[in-house]
Amino acid sequence: MAAAGPTAVLSSGKTMPLLGIGTWQSKSEEVLNAVKVAIDAGYRHIDTARVWGNEKEVGQAIKEKIGEGKIKREDVFLSSKLFTSFSRPEHVKECMMQSLADLGLDYVDLYLIHSPLSFKYGSSPFSGTPEEVFDDVDYVDTWKAMEPFVDEGLAKSIGVSNFNSQQLERLLQNCRIKPAVNQVELHPYLAQQDLVDFCKRNNVLLTAYSALGAPARPKVFASGEEDPVLMDDPSVVAIAKKYGKSAAQVLIRYQLDRGVSVIPKSVTPSRIQANFDVMNFSLSKEDLATLAGLDRNLRYLNGERFSTHKYYPY
Ligand SMILES: NC(=O)c1ccc[n+]([C@@H]2O[C@H](COP(=O)([O-])OP(=O)(O)OC[C@H]3O[C@@H](n4cnc5c(N)ncnc54)[C@H](OP(=O)(O)O)[C@@H]3O)[C@@H](O)[C@H]2O)c1
């Protein structure tokens, strides 16, 4: 697997490149080119999800690069996610098979429960009142419906996303196959050191999303006030200047230096390339400590309206 950058061995025994490209909000017409540029730049980890509606183009990009002889299927680590309205055990496989069909693949490298929440089959959080939308499926039951994917070879590894340490603990105590990964929002303004430590102790690899501060997030996720712009933070900018790097590159390197996987999203070729150009430096202990000291428990993707909901008991 050439040019994947640093990797980690998951609890499943599979190897995962720590730096990947994100595809949330990448429009269909943009993501095909973005993934091809990413593969050419050296990325070997691509993060997708059924609900983002662009897996056909992601799959097409991989297919074209395999066709060109640039990569083999086994060189690319592809992660997808079970959408939250498919969490009833009887719907889990349907979602997986739709993703595989769209991607044009026989298997994914990693399949994640997108969120511990559950929406009724066919609904989305914006499709009705909470009574209409929320379902009370236990994620442990969802997980049990996903474990056979590993036995059947449909997913090389399975994991979760947006789980806190209590939810992970409960899952770890009730599973046959351990979750290999937990994908959550993580950056200097949201250090989540307790969750980082919990995952390390339990051999669950963390993946950081919105690691650049999700500057293009939809308004529905905003906290209500004007959120500070992470890439403009004076400490981040000063550290970037010191290393002759950009703020984005420092934020990406920060996660790699903590042993955390990171999946910056871009559809801009120059940014895709620059975001991968982080292998020739690492941050000093002092600079890591400065970045850790910026923590202000700020969630750019504020999911409060979903996660604290009284209709959801888990
Ligand atoms: N599991 C989940 O629930 C979940 C939730 C959110 C995200 N994710 C995953 O994590 C990925 C990353 O998170 P994210 O998309 O929220 O945000 P992000 O990676 O923090 O930020 C992406 C934004 O930053 C811009 N950008 C990228 N590189 C840049 C650079 N070098 N300089 C300046 N701006 C730059 C991009 O613009 P352009 O594209 O226009 O270049 C895009 O608007 C997602 O795409 C998705 O794969 C997962």
Side-chain angles (χ1 to χ4, degrees):
M1 189 193 284
T7 57
V9 178
L10 303 175
S11 61
S12 59
K14 304 294 178 195
T15 299
M16 174 169 145
L18 288 181
L19 176 54
I21 183 159
T23 62
W24 178 44
Q25 299 192 101
S26 300
K27 294 190 186 80
S28 296
E29 63 276 15
E30 298 168 333
V31 78
L32 174 70
N33 188 51
V35 172
K36 288 198 291 185
V37 169
I39 290 171
D40 285 342
Y43 291 77
R44 294 294 180 266
H45 171 179
I46 302 158
D47 182 64
T48 77
R50 170 91 201 134
V51 71
W52 299 336
N54 53 13
E55 290 192 318
K56 273 190 184 151
E57 292 76 12
V58 171
Q60 181 62 29
I62 294 171
K63 197 175 157 191
E64 286 184 28
K65 285 293 154 190
I66 292 173
E68 286 173 21
K70 177 87 191 169
I71 48 163
K72 298 194 200 77
R73 166 65 187 93
E74 58 271 28
D75 294 335
V76 182
F77 189 100
L78 191 287
S79 69
S80 183
K81 305 183 189 70
L82 177 88
F83 186 50
T84 312
S85 59
F86 290 84
S87 47
R88 288 211 162 264
E90 62 271 29
H91 298 308
V92 165
K93 192 154 187 179
E94 179 191 339
C95 191
M96 166 61 123
M97 297 317 285
Q98 282 179 357
S99 278
L100 288 177
D102 281 358
L103 289 161
L105 299 176
D106 301 331
Y107 69 90
V108 294
D109 295 276
L110 179 64
Y111 200 57
L112 305 176
I113 296 184
H114 203 138
S115 157
L117 298 175
S118 178
F119 304 139
K120 286 187 181 128
Y121 183 59
S123 69
S124 85
F126 312 109
S127 64
T129 62
E131 290 88 338
E132 288 163 343
V133 168
F134 276 78
D135 208 348
D136 61 355
V137 183
D138 184 346
Y139 51 77
V140 171
D141 294 330
T142 308
W143 184 259
K144 289 186 171 155
M146 267 175 42
E147 288 177 325
F149 295 165
V150 177
D151 309 321
E152 295 162 17
L154 298 176
K156 300 285 183 197
S157 305
I158 50 177
V160 296
S161 178
N162 296 305
F163 273 49
N164 63 32
S165 50
Q166 288 90 337
Q167 291 160 333
L168 254 183
E169 174 95 70
R170 192 169 154 262
L171 184 57
L172 283 162
Q173 281 168 7
N174 290 284
C175 64
R176 175 169 65 85
I177 299 174
K178 285 188 179 177
V181 166
N182 184 22
Q183 185 183 116
V184 297
E185 180 176 339
L186 216 55
H187 44 71
Y189 286 169
L190 185 69
Q192 305 214 60
Q193 195 55 48
D194 287 354
L195 184 62
V196 172
D197 294 341
F198 177 90
C199 286
K200 211 160 254 173
R201 277 199 308 279
N202 288 282
N203 197 17
V204 177
L205 183 75
L206 268 177
T207 296
Y209 73 63
S210 303
L212 307 180
R217 66 199 174 285
K219 281 206 171 60
V220 67
F221 289 109
S223 59
E225 305 143 31
E226 194 66 24
D227 288 327
V229 177
L230 181 60
M231 283 188 272
D232 290 348
D233 183 283
S235 298
V236 176
V237 171
I239 291 172
K241 200 170 166 202
K242 190 167 123 186
Y243 291 88
K245 291 287 181 183
S246 70
Q249 288 169 322
V250 164
L251 293 167
I252 293 165
R253 191 67 229 182
Y254 173 59
Q255 300 302 346
L256 298 179
D257 285 343
R258 300 164 93 199
V260 168
S261 171
V262 57
I263 46 172
K265 173 264 176 184
S266 179
V267 292
T268 312
S270 58
R271 288 175 174 173
I272 295 170
Q273 287 153 353
N275 291 349
F276 197 78
D277 182 21
V278 293
M279 307 309 170
N280 53 0
F281 79 115
S282 51
L283 298 166
S284 68
K285 266 194 179 140
E286 295 73 35
D287 292 328
L288 289 172
T290 300
L291 293 169
L294 300 180
D295 188 22
R296 50 175 89 180
N297 203 27
L298 172 76
R299 235 170 253 280
Y300 283 112
L301 301 192
N302 187 339
E304 210 167 307
R305 59 181 290 220
F306 312 127
S307 59
T308 57
H309 203 275
K310 64 179 175 170
Y311 296 92
Y312 190 69
Y314 305 107

mmCIF file of all heavy atoms in Angstrom, residues 16 20-24 26 31 35 44-49 52 54-55 58 76-81 103 110 112 114 161 181 183 207-209 261-265:
data_model
loop_
_atom_site.group_PDB
_atom_site.id
_atom_site.type_symbol
_atom_site.label_atom_id
_atom_site.label_comp_id
_atom_site.label_asym_id
_atom_site.label_seq_id
_atom_site.Cartn_x
_atom_site.Cartn_y
_atom_site.Cartn_z
ATOM 1 N N MET A 16 -5.291 0.283 9.280
ATOM 2 C CA MET A 16 -6.051 1.447 8.809
ATOM 3 C C MET A 16 -5.116 2.650 8.663
ATOM 4 O O MET A 16 -4.439 3.021 9.618
ATOM 5 C CB MET A 16 -7.159 1.756 9.820
ATOM 6 C CG MET A 16 -7.925 3.020 9.538
ATOM 7 S SD MET A 16 -9.389 3.093 10.616
ATOM 8 C CE MET A 16 -9.469 4.849 10.917
ATOM 9 N N GLY A 20 -7.305 10.176 6.269
ATOM 10 C CA GLY A 20 -8.229 9.857 5.180
ATOM 11 C C GLY A 20 -8.890 11.127 4.665
ATOM 12 O O GLY A 20 -8.717 12.209 5.227
ATOM 13 N N ILE A 21 -9.686 10.970 3.613
ATOM 14 C CA ILE A 21 -10.436 12.129 3.111
ATOM 15 C C ILE A 21 -11.907 11.968 3.480
ATOM 16 O O ILE A 21 -12.491 10.881 3.314
ATOM 17 C CB ILE A 21 -10.253 12.338 1.589
ATOM 18 C CG1 ILE A 21 -11.010 13.612 1.158
ATOM 19 C CG2 ILE A 21 -10.686 11.123 0.763
ATOM 20 C CD1 ILE A 21 -10.533 14.214 -0.131
ATOM 21 N N GLY A 22 -12.495 13.041 3.985
ATOM 22 C CA GLY A 22 -13.915 13.040 4.313
ATOM 23 C C GLY A 22 -14.750 13.424 3.096
ATOM 24 O O GLY A 22 -14.247 14.102 2.185
ATOM 25 N N THR A 23 -16.018 13.029 3.105
ATOM 26 C CA THR A 23 -16.873 13.313 1.932
ATOM 27 C C THR A 23 -18.248 13.883 2.303
ATOM 28 O O THR A 23 -19.106 14.004 1.436
ATOM 29 C CB THR A 23 -17.066 12.035 1.072
ATOM 30 O OG1 THR A 23 -17.737 11.052 1.863
ATOM 31 C CG2 THR A 23 -15.746 11.490 0.566
ATOM 32 N N TRP A 24 -18.441 14.232 3.573
ATOM 33 C CA TRP A 24 -19.724 14.839 3.953
ATOM 34 C C TRP A 24 -19.857 16.205 3.268
ATOM 35 O O TRP A 24 -18.915 16.998 3.286
ATOM 36 C CB TRP A 24 -19.798 15.023 5.469
ATOM 37 C CG TRP A 24 -21.068 15.674 5.945
ATOM 38 C CD1 TRP A 24 -22.334 15.403 5.534
ATOM 39 C CD2 TRP A 24 -21.172 16.713 6.932
ATOM 40 N NE1 TRP A 24 -23.232 16.205 6.206
ATOM 41 C CE2 TRP A 24 -22.546 17.018 7.066
ATOM 42 C CE3 TRP A 24 -20.252 17.399 7.722
ATOM 43 C CZ2 TRP A 24 -23.021 17.985 7.959
ATOM 44 C CZ3 TRP A 24 -20.712 18.357 8.614
ATOM 45 C CH2 TRP A 24 -22.091 18.648 8.730
ATOM 46 N N SER A 26 -19.801 16.812 0.243
ATOM 47 C CA SER A 26 -19.133 16.867 -1.063
ATOM 48 C C SER A 26 -20.204 16.545 -2.097
ATOM 49 O O SER A 26 -20.763 15.439 -2.103
ATOM 50 C CB SER A 26 -18.010 15.827 -1.146
ATOM 51 O OG SER A 26 -17.052 16.063 -0.151
ATOM 52 N N VAL A 31 -17.380 15.172 -5.884
ATOM 53 C CA VAL A 31 -16.682 14.151 -5.090
ATOM 54 C C VAL A 31 -15.928 13.155 -5.968
ATOM 55 O O VAL A 31 -14.902 12.613 -5.563
ATOM 56 C CB VAL A 31 -17.667 13.462 -4.107
ATOM 57 C CG1 VAL A 31 -18.548 12.442 -4.796
ATOM 58 C CG2 VAL A 31 -16.922 12.846 -2.940
ATOM 59 N N VAL A 35 -12.082 12.509 -4.917
ATOM 60 C CA VAL A 35 -11.525 11.209 -4.487
ATOM 61 C C VAL A 35 -10.388 10.786 -5.423
ATOM 62 O O VAL A 35 -9.369 10.251 -4.973
ATOM 63 C CB VAL A 35 -12.640 10.142 -4.389
ATOM 64 C CG1 VAL A 35 -12.057 8.759 -4.128
ATOM 65 C CG2 VAL A 35 -13.618 10.506 -3.267
ATOM 66 N N ARG A 44 -5.131 6.817 1.141
ATOM 67 C CA ARG A 44 -5.600 5.445 0.950
ATOM 68 C C ARG A 44 -6.754 5.126 1.911
ATOM 69 O O ARG A 44 -7.024 3.967 2.193
ATOM 70 C CB ARG A 44 -4.436 4.449 1.163
ATOM 71 C CG ARG A 44 -3.340 4.577 0.105
ATOM 72 C CD ARG A 44 -3.836 4.168 -1.295
ATOM 73 N NE ARG A 44 -2.798 4.287 -2.306
ATOM 74 C CZ ARG A 44 -2.617 5.363 -3.081
ATOM 75 N NH1 ARG A 44 -3.414 6.425 -2.959
ATOM 76 N NH2 ARG A 44 -1.661 5.372 -3.979
ATOM 77 N N HIS A 45 -7.377 6.169 2.430
ATOM 78 C CA HIS A 45 -8.498 6.009 3.371
ATOM 79 C C HIS A 45 -9.576 7.021 2.965
ATOM 80 O O HIS A 45 -9.283 8.213 2.847
ATOM 81 C CB HIS A 45 -7.964 6.251 4.798
ATOM 82 C CG HIS A 45 -9.006 6.339 5.883
ATOM 83 N ND1 HIS A 45 -8.665 6.542 7.206
ATOM 84 C CD2 HIS A 45 -10.348 6.264 5.876
ATOM 85 C CE1 HIS A 45 -9.757 6.597 7.944
ATOM 86 N NE2 HIS A 45 -10.798 6.437 7.159
ATOM 87 N N ILE A 46 -10.772 6.512 2.700
ATOM 88 C CA ILE A 46 -11.874 7.373 2.260
ATOM 89 C C ILE A 46 -13.055 7.113 3.186
ATOM 90 O O ILE A 46 -13.439 5.960 3.398
ATOM 91 C CB ILE A 46 -12.255 7.051 0.796
ATOM 92 C CG1 ILE A 46 -11.029 7.236 -0.115
ATOM 93 C CG2 ILE A 46 -13.414 7.929 0.329
ATOM 94 C CD1 ILE A 46 -11.119 6.472 -1.413
ATOM 95 N N ASP A 47 -13.605 8.195 3.694
ATOM 96 C CA ASP A 47 -14.714 8.080 4.649
ATOM 97 C C ASP A 47 -16.024 8.489 3.969
ATOM 98 O O ASP A 47 -16.148 9.622 3.495
ATOM 99 C CB ASP A 47 -14.455 8.992 5.855
ATOM 100 C CG ASP A 47 -15.565 8.866 6.878
ATOM 101 O OD1 ASP A 47 -15.721 7.769 7.435
ATOM 102 O OD2 ASP A 47 -16.291 9.856 7.105
ATOM 103 N N THR A 48 -16.976 7.578 3.933
ATOM 104 C CA THR A 48 -18.276 7.894 3.333
ATOM 105 C C THR A 48 -19.397 7.517 4.297
ATOM 106 O O THR A 48 -19.159 6.980 5.377
ATOM 107 C CB THR A 48 -18.517 7.126 2.002
ATOM 108 O OG1 THR A 48 -18.857 5.784 2.322
ATOM 109 C CG2 THR A 48 -17.331 7.157 1.098
ATOM 110 N N ALA A 49 -20.622 7.779 3.874
ATOM 111 C CA ALA A 49 -21.795 7.363 4.643
ATOM 112 C C ALA A 49 -22.972 7.279 3.683
ATOM 113 O O ALA A 49 -23.097 8.101 2.765
ATOM 114 C CB ALA A 49 -22.100 8.360 5.762
ATOM 115 N N TRP A 52 -25.075 10.484 3.089
ATOM 116 C CA TRP A 52 -24.543 11.654 2.397
ATOM 117 C C TRP A 52 -24.852 11.629 0.902
ATOM 118 O O TRP A 52 -24.600 12.610 0.190
ATOM 119 C CB TRP A 52 -23.032 11.800 2.645
ATOM 120 C CG TRP A 52 -22.718 11.983 4.114
ATOM 121 C CD1 TRP A 52 -23.571 12.465 5.074
ATOM 122 C CD2 TRP A 52 -21.515 11.661 4.797
ATOM 123 N NE1 TRP A 52 -22.964 12.466 6.310
ATOM 124 C CE2 TRP A 52 -21.691 11.974 6.167
ATOM 125 C CE3 TRP A 52 -20.281 11.146 4.402
ATOM 126 C CZ2 TRP A 52 -20.698 11.785 7.128
ATOM 127 C CZ3 TRP A 52 -19.298 10.961 5.359
ATOM 128 C CH2 TRP A 52 -19.508 11.277 6.710
ATOM 129 N N ASN A 54 -23.638 10.281 -1.790
ATOM 130 C CA ASN A 54 -22.645 10.416 -2.861
ATOM 131 C C ASN A 54 -21.751 9.178 -3.005
ATOM 132 O O ASN A 54 -20.649 9.266 -3.539
ATOM 133 C CB ASN A 54 -21.794 11.682 -2.646
ATOM 134 C CG ASN A 54 -21.178 11.724 -1.251
ATOM 135 O OD1 ASN A 54 -21.190 10.714 -0.541
ATOM 136 N ND2 ASN A 54 -20.658 12.859 -0.843
ATOM 137 N N GLU A 55 -22.252 8.039 -2.513
ATOM 138 C CA GLU A 55 -21.390 6.845 -2.535
ATOM 139 C C GLU A 55 -21.184 6.307 -3.955
ATOM 140 O O GLU A 55 -20.164 5.686 -4.239
ATOM 141 C CB GLU A 55 -21.956 5.770 -1.597
ATOM 142 C CG GLU A 55 -21.806 6.177 -0.131
ATOM 143 C CD GLU A 55 -22.065 5.061 0.868
ATOM 144 O OE1 GLU A 55 -23.035 4.295 0.676
ATOM 145 O OE2 GLU A 55 -21.292 4.958 1.847
ATOM 146 N N VAL A 58 -18.179 8.165 -5.192
ATOM 147 C CA VAL A 58 -16.973 7.705 -4.474
ATOM 148 C C VAL A 58 -16.529 6.362 -5.062
ATOM 149 O O VAL A 58 -15.345 6.153 -5.371
ATOM 150 C CB VAL A 58 -17.255 7.577 -2.952
ATOM 151 C CG1 VAL A 58 -16.082 6.904 -2.243
ATOM 152 C CG2 VAL A 58 -17.525 8.954 -2.333
ATOM 153 N N VAL A 76 -7.017 0.390 -0.755
ATOM 154 C CA VAL A 76 -7.865 1.488 -0.278
ATOM 155 C C VAL A 76 -8.679 1.038 0.930
ATOM 156 O O VAL A 76 -9.303 -0.028 0.903
ATOM 157 C CB VAL A 76 -8.854 1.936 -1.379
ATOM 158 C CG1 VAL A 76 -9.705 3.099 -0.904
ATOM 159 C CG2 VAL A 76 -8.108 2.333 -2.618
ATOM 160 N N PHE A 77 -8.677 1.870 1.947
ATOM 161 C CA PHE A 77 -9.468 1.599 3.153
ATOM 162 C C PHE A 77 -10.726 2.459 3.070
ATOM 163 O O PHE A 77 -10.685 3.683 3.169
ATOM 164 C CB PHE A 77 -8.644 1.970 4.390
ATOM 165 C CG PHE A 77 -9.268 1.544 5.689
ATOM 166 C CD1 PHE A 77 -8.841 0.394 6.340
ATOM 167 C CD2 PHE A 77 -10.271 2.306 6.274
ATOM 168 C CE1 PHE A 77 -9.411 0.000 7.546
ATOM 169 C CE2 PHE A 77 -10.848 1.918 7.471
ATOM 170 C CZ PHE A 77 -10.416 0.771 8.107
ATOM 171 N N LEU A 78 -11.851 1.799 2.862
ATOM 172 C CA LEU A 78 -13.112 2.517 2.648
ATOM 173 C C LEU A 78 -14.017 2.315 3.859
ATOM 174 O O LEU A 78 -14.319 1.170 4.234
ATOM 175 C CB LEU A 78 -13.758 1.946 1.369
ATOM 176 C CG LEU A 78 -14.969 2.633 0.720
ATOM 177 C CD1 LEU A 78 -16.258 2.463 1.492
ATOM 178 C CD2 LEU A 78 -14.710 4.128 0.464
ATOM 179 N N SER A 79 -14.442 3.409 4.461
ATOM 180 C CA SER A 79 -15.395 3.261 5.574
ATOM 181 C C SER A 79 -16.744 3.861 5.185
ATOM 182 O O SER A 79 -16.811 4.913 4.547
ATOM 183 C CB SER A 79 -14.863 3.924 6.845
ATOM 184 O OG SER A 79 -14.851 5.308 6.707
ATOM 185 N N SER A 80 -17.806 3.155 5.543
ATOM 186 C CA SER A 80 -19.163 3.662 5.329
ATOM 187 C C SER A 80 -19.940 3.529 6.641
ATOM 188 O O SER A 80 -19.413 3.017 7.634
ATOM 189 C CB SER A 80 -19.844 2.886 4.194
ATOM 190 O OG SER A 80 -21.132 3.444 3.955
ATOM 191 N N LYS A 81 -21.199 4.007 6.606
ATOM 192 C CA LYS A 81 -21.948 4.063 7.876
ATOM 193 C C LYS A 81 -23.399 3.660 7.694
ATOM 194 O O LYS A 81 -24.047 4.052 6.706
ATOM 195 C CB LYS A 81 -21.894 5.487 8.460
ATOM 196 C CG LYS A 81 -20.485 5.993 8.618
ATOM 197 C CD LYS A 81 -20.415 7.367 9.253
ATOM 198 C CE LYS A 81 -19.012 7.903 9.179
ATOM 199 N NZ LYS A 81 -18.563 8.263 7.817
ATOM 200 N N LEU A 103 -21.496 1.803 -4.072
ATOM 201 C CA LEU A 103 -20.040 1.906 -4.149
ATOM 202 C C LEU A 103 -19.471 0.988 -5.232
ATOM 203 O O LEU A 103 -18.348 1.183 -5.701
ATOM 204 C CB LEU A 103 -19.415 1.528 -2.792
ATOM 205 C CG LEU A 103 -19.613 2.545 -1.657
ATOM 206 C CD1 LEU A 103 -19.381 1.896 -0.297
ATOM 207 C CD2 LEU A 103 -18.675 3.737 -1.834
ATOM 208 N N LEU A 110 -14.492 -0.794 6.726
ATOM 209 C CA LEU A 110 -15.004 -0.434 8.050
ATOM 210 C C LEU A 110 -16.456 -0.018 7.898
ATOM 211 O O LEU A 110 -16.779 0.778 7.010
ATOM 212 C CB LEU A 110 -14.162 0.734 8.606
ATOM 213 C CG LEU A 110 -14.528 1.283 9.972
ATOM 214 C CD1 LEU A 110 -14.318 0.210 11.058
ATOM 215 C CD2 LEU A 110 -13.650 2.503 10.300
ATOM 216 N N LEU A 112 -19.571 1.568 10.189
ATOM 217 C CA LEU A 112 -19.837 2.197 11.489
ATOM 218 C C LEU A 112 -21.330 2.388 11.711
ATOM 219 O O LEU A 112 -22.057 2.727 10.758
ATOM 220 C CB LEU A 112 -19.181 3.581 11.545
ATOM 221 C CG LEU A 112 -17.679 3.676 11.252
ATOM 222 C CD1 LEU A 112 -17.217 5.144 11.258
ATOM 223 C CD2 LEU A 112 -16.879 2.888 12.276
ATOM 224 N N HIS A 114 -23.718 4.966 12.511
ATOM 225 C CA HIS A 114 -23.485 6.411 12.329
ATOM 226 C C HIS A 114 -23.712 7.191 13.625
ATOM 227 O O HIS A 114 -23.053 8.201 13.878
ATOM 228 C CB HIS A 114 -24.391 6.939 11.214
ATOM 229 C CG HIS A 114 -23.895 8.200 10.577
ATOM 230 N ND1 HIS A 114 -23.937 8.419 9.218
ATOM 231 C CD2 HIS A 114 -23.328 9.318 11.100
ATOM 232 C CE1 HIS A 114 -23.419 9.609 8.947
ATOM 233 N NE2 HIS A 114 -23.052 10.173 10.073
ATOM 234 N N SER A 161 -19.844 5.499 15.659
ATOM 235 C CA SER A 161 -19.582 6.927 15.501
ATOM 236 C C SER A 161 -20.493 7.688 16.450
ATOM 237 O O SER A 161 -21.647 7.281 16.672
ATOM 238 C CB SER A 161 -19.855 7.332 14.045
ATOM 239 O OG SER A 161 -19.648 8.711 13.879
ATOM 240 N N VAL A 181 -13.370 1.057 15.980
ATOM 241 C CA VAL A 181 -13.190 2.506 15.786
ATOM 242 C C VAL A 181 -14.385 3.236 16.393
ATOM 243 O O VAL A 181 -15.508 2.724 16.387
ATOM 244 C CB VAL A 181 -13.117 2.815 14.260
ATOM 245 C CG1 VAL A 181 -13.277 4.304 13.977
ATOM 246 C CG2 VAL A 181 -11.804 2.309 13.658
ATOM 247 N N GLN A 183 -15.781 7.123 15.682
ATOM 248 C CA GLN A 183 -15.537 8.365 14.916
ATOM 249 C C GLN A 183 -16.345 9.493 15.545
ATOM 250 O O GLN A 183 -17.579 9.405 15.615
ATOM 251 C CB GLN A 183 -15.956 8.149 13.448
ATOM 252 C CG GLN A 183 -15.620 9.330 12.575
ATOM 253 C CD GLN A 183 -16.079 9.171 11.126
ATOM 254 O OE1 GLN A 183 -16.926 9.927 10.671
ATOM 255 N NE2 GLN A 183 -15.527 8.200 10.410
ATOM 256 N N THR A 207 -11.316 8.253 15.478
ATOM 257 C CA THR A 207 -11.168 9.044 14.259
ATOM 258 C C THR A 207 -11.778 10.415 14.523
ATOM 259 O O THR A 207 -12.909 10.509 15.023
ATOM 260 C CB THR A 207 -11.883 8.374 13.070
ATOM 261 O OG1 THR A 207 -11.244 7.132 12.795
ATOM 262 C CG2 THR A 207 -11.811 9.256 11.828
ATOM 263 N N ALA A 208 -11.015 11.457 14.162
ATOM 264 C CA ALA A 208 -11.460 12.837 14.400
ATOM 265 C C ALA A 208 -12.179 13.361 13.169
ATOM 266 O O ALA A 208 -11.609 13.422 12.090
ATOM 267 C CB ALA A 208 -10.249 13.718 14.689
ATOM 268 N N TYR A 209 -13.451 13.751 13.360
ATOM 269 C CA TYR A 209 -14.109 14.481 12.268
ATOM 270 C C TYR A 209 -14.228 15.963 12.627
ATOM 271 O O TYR A 209 -14.034 16.340 13.783
ATOM 272 C CB TYR A 209 -15.438 13.843 11.862
ATOM 273 C CG TYR A 209 -16.648 13.977 12.782
ATOM 274 C CD1 TYR A 209 -17.230 15.206 13.083
ATOM 275 C CD2 TYR A 209 -17.267 12.837 13.292
ATOM 276 C CE1 TYR A 209 -18.360 15.309 13.870
ATOM 277 C CE2 TYR A 209 -18.408 12.917 14.094
ATOM 278 C CZ TYR A 209 -18.950 14.157 14.375
ATOM 279 O OH TYR A 209 -20.063 14.253 15.154
ATOM 280 N N SER A 261 -6.828 9.006 14.248
ATOM 281 C CA SER A 261 -7.089 9.078 12.817
ATOM 282 C C SER A 261 -7.822 10.386 12.512
ATOM 283 O O SER A 261 -8.556 10.902 13.369
ATOM 284 C CB SER A 261 -7.939 7.868 12.408
ATOM 285 O OG SER A 261 -8.382 7.992 11.087
ATOM 286 N N VAL A 262 -7.666 10.909 11.295
ATOM 287 C CA VAL A 262 -8.276 12.207 10.976
ATOM 288 C C VAL A 262 -8.677 12.233 9.505
ATOM 289 O O VAL A 262 -7.964 11.717 8.657
ATOM 290 C CB VAL A 262 -7.307 13.365 11.370
ATOM 291 C CG1 VAL A 262 -5.964 13.238 10.678
ATOM 292 C CG2 VAL A 262 -7.922 14.728 11.112
ATOM 293 N N ILE A 263 -9.851 12.812 9.223
ATOM 294 C CA ILE A 263 -10.437 12.710 7.874
ATOM 295 C C ILE A 263 -10.909 14.069 7.359
ATOM 296 O O ILE A 263 -12.098 14.276 7.122
ATOM 297 C CB ILE A 263 -11.600 11.688 7.893
ATOM 298 C CG1 ILE A 263 -12.524 11.920 9.106
ATOM 299 C CG2 ILE A 263 -11.067 10.264 7.888
ATOM 300 C CD1 ILE A 263 -13.802 11.069 9.087
ATOM 301 N N PRO A 264 -9.958 15.009 7.154
ATOM 302 C CA PRO A 264 -10.376 16.324 6.638
ATOM 303 C C PRO A 264 -11.096 16.188 5.307
ATOM 304 O O PRO A 264 -10.696 15.392 4.464
ATOM 305 C CB PRO A 264 -9.034 17.059 6.465
ATOM 306 C CG PRO A 264 -8.008 15.971 6.332
ATOM 307 C CD PRO A 264 -8.504 14.861 7.206
ATOM 308 N N LYS A 265 -12.148 16.992 5.169
ATOM 309 C CA LYS A 265 -12.917 16.975 3.909
ATOM 310 C C LYS A 265 -12.477 18.147 3.043
ATOM 311 O O LYS A 265 -12.355 19.283 3.520
ATOM 312 C CB LYS A 265 -14.412 17.091 4.219
ATOM 313 C CG LYS A 265 -15.300 17.258 2.987
ATOM 314 C CD LYS A 265 -15.654 18.706 2.669
ATOM 315 C CE LYS A 265 -16.447 18.879 1.391
ATOM 316 N NZ LYS A 265 -16.700 20.296 1.051
#
